[in-house]
Amino acid sequence: MTDTATTLLDEVQSCHDDDPARAAGLLRRIAPSDLAPERWPGYAFLLNHALGEKRGAWPEAHAMFGPLLQVAGTQVPQALWRQAATAALLAGDAAQAPRLRDGLAAAAGVAQDQAQDVVALTATAFRLPTLPWAAAVDAAAAALRGLSAASWQAAGPLDAAVAVCTNNIASSLLERPAQELKHETLRTTLAVAAQIAERFWLRAGTWVHHERAAYLRAMVANALGDAPQAREHALRGLALLDANDNAQAERVDRAFIELERARACRDLALADEARTAQETADALAAQFNDAGLDAWFARRCSELGAPARGVT
């Protein structure tokens, strides 16, 4: 384990979305043997995200899992098997993909079909941003259908992985252009993905995951023009914060949930509640002291048609 490898991975984490080419170059400089085991899952995700999803270099990402799995030896965590199997699948390695999927099944103690469902969900989440809307909907719907099987109706060891993947699928569909969100098949698939994400977060997550799942559903409802549902989901998220966030550690979450509540209330002609929610969101955002969060908040305000600060 070296500080250099850790520093490089931290740099990748900070730049992978804004500068994928730089992130890819940094990843190539990291020796897995120099990383602490707790950093392996993050490294594995970034191989697929920065090299595969962002650069289309799935064969390279797949090849880089070899040294990582060798370093892990007999202590390969579920996350590594899942990401490795996904890279093999998307790289078209028909020999290695089933072997790695079976490694995930063994590590999780589940049947092969459940492991395959999770690999398919993971692959779909990585593929969606690069697909045209119709192909994205078809891919998402196909991956989500596997979760209707009887084996997924009770809690299990892969629930958290399913929650992450379905959350990412819903988020990706939510980010499609407004014109595409008018298509009924996309709207239906988006709503289903967010519902499934919340269902699995409720089984596998903490209260923070629960409130963020409610936030996702509020965003989806606002995007679909369902103001009553958007308000209901936002209020559920805020209630979870009220009940659990005594230290006010999740003030950023509260600011963004209040934004969704404000939009829903404007659409419902609940003027006083809309104004209170927007003012609360603005006041919390004023304390961010973070350029990235400030930009994200301003962008979301614009998307939701929020009034300028100080305007009612």
Side-chain angles (χ1 to χ4, degrees), residues 52-92:
E53 177 185 348
K54 294 291 189 179
R55 307 279 290 170
W58 286 110
E60 182 181 9
H62 173 39
M64 291 177 72
F65 274 98
L68 176 58
L69 293 174
Q70 185 174 17
V71 168
T74 60
Q75 304 298 317
V76 181
Q78 291 181 24
L80 264 63
W81 285 119
R82 178 167 66 90
Q83 297 292 352
T86 299
L89 176 67
L90 293 175

Side-chain angles (χ1 to χ4, degrees), residues 219 273 294 296:
M219 286 195 293
E273 185 177 343
D294 289 341
W296 180 20

Side-chain angles (χ1 to χ4, degrees), residues 173-189:
L173 293 176
L174 184 60
E175 291 171 2
R176 307 297 299 200
Q179 190 65 28
E180 295 180 2
L181 285 169
K182 295 179 181 179
H183 294 282
E184 193 59 35
T185 53
L186 195 158
R187 294 166 65 85
T188 299
T189 305

